């Protein structure tokens, strides 16, 4: 487990380049900073300053090497590297509230932006006018869209919203692609078509993720639940009420295993059993250091009793690697079907890289299916 | 034998909790019944009762515990705190989060 403390403030969002040598992150302000790995160190190589509000989402297209950012200033920019300078192109999203999340489609010819305007802007490049245009998906979204994830077919898009629901829409743009072939989520996919909608949970949907095959989608909500819809089982939804504080980020690491993290500051494993249609908790992935237990002096014991009404020796500091909530997880190696390495960033300004094989050998009872 | 009766009353109260009603009178009656059942337990019997519930049962119990805190009677808070400790041990903080986020209250 490699942990690097970038900032003393939260990392609002991050994205990696294709070969994982550079990370773009927002240091809780209006800018995007790009760091490059230099041996064991990280050096800041670029500062992208264009947004007038906090940058809420960053995505780095691996093949075309373009960045897309979105912010509370209701704008999105597509950044292209020209020589050694990142040049921004403004994309008019036509929204009147903050943008909250952005994702390139798998083929990188479109990107989707979720916003507080209760809609999703699907943006694509119009060759003849040489600029980015967007179409809106509105119905039946009733509140802010907090997170998005594309299906591998480049057309279907999953959206998690503050109206407590997870939905899958078609974001088919005839100007840039062929008609999609049928999927387990449905065969007719005109733009804006609602292919799936979950029944209401009781919490804002913070994060949503398609499995590598696209036939499963998982999401985490603010009511401390994790849910999974399986298109292979007629979109049956399995849900798990966790014993943890709400989770803020989730990703598949195999077709049956998920890693999620949130306000408990540590990533956790969850397993989906297809035959039973059930989700189970597989354990915490943070192996705590063996903290030295020193005895308390009588004075300290009395102080504890006075301050906390208890004289126990429990540490007031967190044992976990991250010292504050984890807000984002990204897959680094292996893809969502055979993930061998993933990354977490959080409100403690730190970034941690987790190696799946090391976790499997360190945590004896860990079973990744 | 008294233990068995309290446990049975407990399960009955959990099972017959009015799920999806806006009827305030019904809710208050259920709250009253549940509070009576919870306060009738001896401290040593609470843990066993909590362990006999499934996940949904623990979530429901926690909702009633917090409802009980809202309208304290003379000795209710003390026994409810003991129930809270045992329910927390089984349900975790997630259980309390779901009391706060629930849209259907008990």
């Amino acid at each position: 487990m490699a942990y690097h403390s970038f900032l003393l403030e939260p990392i609002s969002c991050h994205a990696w380049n294709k070969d994982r040598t550079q990370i773009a992150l927002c240091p809780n302000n209006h800018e995007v900073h790009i760091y490059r790995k230099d041996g064991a160190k990280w050096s800041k190589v670029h500062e992208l300053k264009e947004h007038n509000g906090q940058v809420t989402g960053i995505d780095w297209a691996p093949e075309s090497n373009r960045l897309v950012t979105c912010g509370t200033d209701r704008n999105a920019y597509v950044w292209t590297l020209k020589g050694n300078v990142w040049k921004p192109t403004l994309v008019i999203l036509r929204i009147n509230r903050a943008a909250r999340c952005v994702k390139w489609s798998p083929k990188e010819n479109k990107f989707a932006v979720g916003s507080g305007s209760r809609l999703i802007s699907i943006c694509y490049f119009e060759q003849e006018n040489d600029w980015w245009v967007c179409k809106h998906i509105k119905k039946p979204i009733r509140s802010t869209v907090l997170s998005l994830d594309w299906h591998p077919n480049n057309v279907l898009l999953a959206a998690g919203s503050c109206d407590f629901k997870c939905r899958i829409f078609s974001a088919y743009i005839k100007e840039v692609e062929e008609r999609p072939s049928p999927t387990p989520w449905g065969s007719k996919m005109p733009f804006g078509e609602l292919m799936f909608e979950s029944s209401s949970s009781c919490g804002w949907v913070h994060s949503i993720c398609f499995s590598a095959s696209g036939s499963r989608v998982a999401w985490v909500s603010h009511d401390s639940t994790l849910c999974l819809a399986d298109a292979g089982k007629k979109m049956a939804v399995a849900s798990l009420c966790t014993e943890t504080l709400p989770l803020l980020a989730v990703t598949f690491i195999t077709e049956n295993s998920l890693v999620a993290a949130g306000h408990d500051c540590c990533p956790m494993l969850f397993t989906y059993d297809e035959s039973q249609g059930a989700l189970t908790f597989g354990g915490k992935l943070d192996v705590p250091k063996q903290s030295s237990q020193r005895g308390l002096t009588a004075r300290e014991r009395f102080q504890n009793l006075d301050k906390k009404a208890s004289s126990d020796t429990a540490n007031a500091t967190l044992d976990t690697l991250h010292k504050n909530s984890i807000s984002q997880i990204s897959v680094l190696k292996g893809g969502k079907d055979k993930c061998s390495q993933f990354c977490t960033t959080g409100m403690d300004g730190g970034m941690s890289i987790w190696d799946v094989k090391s976790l499997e050998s360190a945590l004896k009872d860990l079973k990744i299916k | 034998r008294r233990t068995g009766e309290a446990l049975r009353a407990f399960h009955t109260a959990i099972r017959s909790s009015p799920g999806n009603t806006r009827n305030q009178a019904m809710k208050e009656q259920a709250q009253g019944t549940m509070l009576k059942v919870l306060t009738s337990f001896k401290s040593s019997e609470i843990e066993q009762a909590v362990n006999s519930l499934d996940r949904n049962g623990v979530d429901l119990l926690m909702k009633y515990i917090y409802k009980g805190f809202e309208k304290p009677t003379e000795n209710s808070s003390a026994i409810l705190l003991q129930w809270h400790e045992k329910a927390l041990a089984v349900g975790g903080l997630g259980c309390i989060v779901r009391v706060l986020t629930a849209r259907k209250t008990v």
Side-chain angles (χ1 to χ4, degrees):
Chain A
M1 262 63 69
Y3 179 86
H4 180 82
S5 176
F6 276 102
L7 319 156
L8 291 174
E9 295 197 66
I11 293 176
S12 314
C13 48
H14 77 264
W16 290 88
N17 68 347
K18 181 178 182 181
D19 59 9
R20 313 316 192 194
T21 53
Q22 292 185 39
I23 183 172
L25 54 85
C26 170
N28 197 36
N29 60 16
H30 303 179
E31 302 171 3
V32 173
H33 294 177
I34 300 183
Y35 289 80
R36 187 180 54 213
K37 200 150 204 316
D38 253 319
K41 291 191 296 107
W42 289 91
S43 327
K44 194 193 305 187
V45 288
H46 292 110
E47 283 187 0
L48 277 45
K49 302 181 197 203
E50 199 74 20
H51 279 282
N52 287 322
Q54 183 172 50
V55 179
T56 51
I58 308 176
D59 201 17
W60 202 324
E63 303 308 321
S64 56
N65 201 40
R66 287 172 302 179
L67 277 162
V68 64
T69 58
C70 72
T72 58
D73 59 356
R74 315 194 293 276
N75 287 332
Y77 291 92
V78 173
W79 303 79
T80 326
L81 191 60
K82 296 255 192 317
N84 200 29
V85 182
W86 284 95
K87 295 247 186 273
T89 305
L90 174 67
V91 178
I92 309 283
L93 299 172
R94 295 186 287 123
I95 55 179
N96 54 10
R97 293 290 185 279
R100 288 292 264 108
C101 51
V102 63
K103 275 273 171 70
W104 283 109
S105 70
K107 292 206 177 89
E108 301 173 19
N109 50 6
K110 305 183 286 191
F111 61 88
V113 181
S115 64
S117 292
R118 310 185 286 182
L119 53 84
I120 307 170
S121 304
I122 307 292
C123 310
Y124 61 99
F125 197 69
E126 205 174 64
Q127 273 307 136
E128 28 176 280
N129 288 322
D130 191 33
W131 71 347
W132 292 87
V133 295
C134 80
K135 286 193 174 153
H136 286 167
I137 297 178
K138 264 189 142 136
K139 291 199 173 77
I141 304 172
R142 310 281 292 279
S143 188
T144 306
V145 175
L146 285 181
S147 98
L148 297 165
D149 196 32
W150 288 90
H151 185 282
N153 75 352
N154 208 60
V155 170
L156 296 179
L157 180 68
S161 166
C162 284
D163 65 358
F164 315 141
K165 289 185 187 275
C166 154
R167 298 184 178 88
I168 298 179
F169 292 100
S170 162
Y172 168 61
I173 301 280
K174 62 184 193 306
E175 284 85 344
V176 302
E177 57 199 338
E178 299 293 311
R179 250 213 197 108
S181 24
T183 72
W185 298 103
S187 356
K188 282 193 174 293
M189 287 173 261
F191 179 82
E193 182 82 356
L194 181 66
M195 313 297 287
F196 167 77
E197 184 179 69
S198 67
S199 55
S200 291
S201 65
C202 296
W204 309 311
V205 177
H206 287 296
S207 174
I208 193 158
C209 184
F210 267 113
S211 66
S213 69
S215 63
R216 292 170 187 173
V217 68
W219 64 96
V220 286
S221 312
H222 202 67
D223 60 348
S224 291
T225 56
L226 164 70
C227 298
L228 185 152
D230 192 346
K233 292 179 89 126
K234 302 199 184 147
M235 306 192 204
V237 175
S239 57
L240 176 67
C241 294
T242 72
E243 290 173 27
T244 63
L245 289 176
L247 299 160
L248 296 173
V250 66
T251 184
F252 277 89
I253 55 167
T254 68
E255 209 48 32
N256 295 318
S257 299
L258 300 124
V259 167
H263 291 295
D264 274 316
C265 318
C266 107
M268 303 177 206
L269 178 71
F270 295 89
T271 312
Y272 174 60
D273 183 338
E274 185 180 353
S275 54
Q276 304 217 336
L279 283 162
T280 47
F281 174 60
K284 291 191 175 183
L285 297 178
D286 206 327
V287 185
K289 290 195 297 288
Q290 293 301 322
S291 53
S292 56
Q293 291 281 8
R294 59 175 194 84
L296 287 182
T297 63
R299 183 192 180 79
E300 284 167 331
R301 214 175 268 278
F302 181 74
Q303 276 177 334
N304 266 351
L305 209 52
D306 185 37
K307 266 195 295 196
K308 296 188 269 188
S310 106
S311 54
D312 70 32
T313 56
N315 231 341
T317 56
L318 285 178
D319 278 341
T320 53
L321 213 49
H322 279 282
K323 300 305 179 193
N324 206 325
S325 309
I326 293 173
S327 50
Q328 193 178 339
I329 303 181
S330 55
V331 168
L332 292 182
K333 290 199 181 128
K336 286 190 272 187
D337 54 343
K338 289 194 181 68
C339 176
S340 57
Q341 212 178 56
F342 61 90
C343 161
T344 51
T345 55
M347 304 196 194
D348 59 352
M351 183 272 294
S352 190
I353 296 181
W354 307 78
D355 187 278
V356 175
K357 273 216 168 39
S358 310
L359 289 171
E360 278 178 303
S361 50
L363 301 161
K364 290 186 298 277
D365 296 323
L366 204 68
K367 287 194 177 52
I368 297 177
K369 305 207 174 111
Chain B
R1 248 204 7 228
R2 223 210 96 245
T3 317
E5 278 173 24
L7 201 55
R8 260 196 307 278
F10 177 60
H11 284 141
T12 308
I14 290 271
R15 249 199 331 270
S16 52
S17 165
N20 199 1
T21 179
R22 289 226 180 106
N23 187 332
Q24 200 50 37
M26 249 180 102
K27 280 186 169 188
E28 284 182 18
Q29 186 176 47
Q31 286 162 26
T33 308
M34 182 57 84
L35 191 60
K36 262 210 205 96
V37 172
L38 295 182
T39 49
S40 75
F41 270 74
K42 276 207 294 256
S43 307
S44 51
E45 299 162 354
I46 294 178
E47 187 165 343
Q48 179 197 25
V50 175
N51 288 336
S52 70
L53 293 175
D54 65 2
R55 165 101 308 137
N56 287 339
V58 176
D59 278 3
L60 187 60
L61 170 63
M62 194 59 98
K63 282 185 184 174
Y64 276 113
I65 291 173
Y66 276 93
K67 207 52 172 185
F69 283 145
E70 276 177 44
K71 310 170 187 181
T73 65
E74 200 163 299
N75 287 319
S76 65
S77 291
I79 191 90
L80 284 176
L81 278 171
Q82 292 178 59
W83 276 98
H84 186 276
E85 183 190 352
K86 300 301 179 198
L88 176 61
V90 173
L93 290 171
C95 182
I96 298 180
V97 170
R98 280 185 291 280
V99 173
L100 300 173
T101 56
R103 301 171 75 204
K104 297 176 195 142
T105 57
V106 290

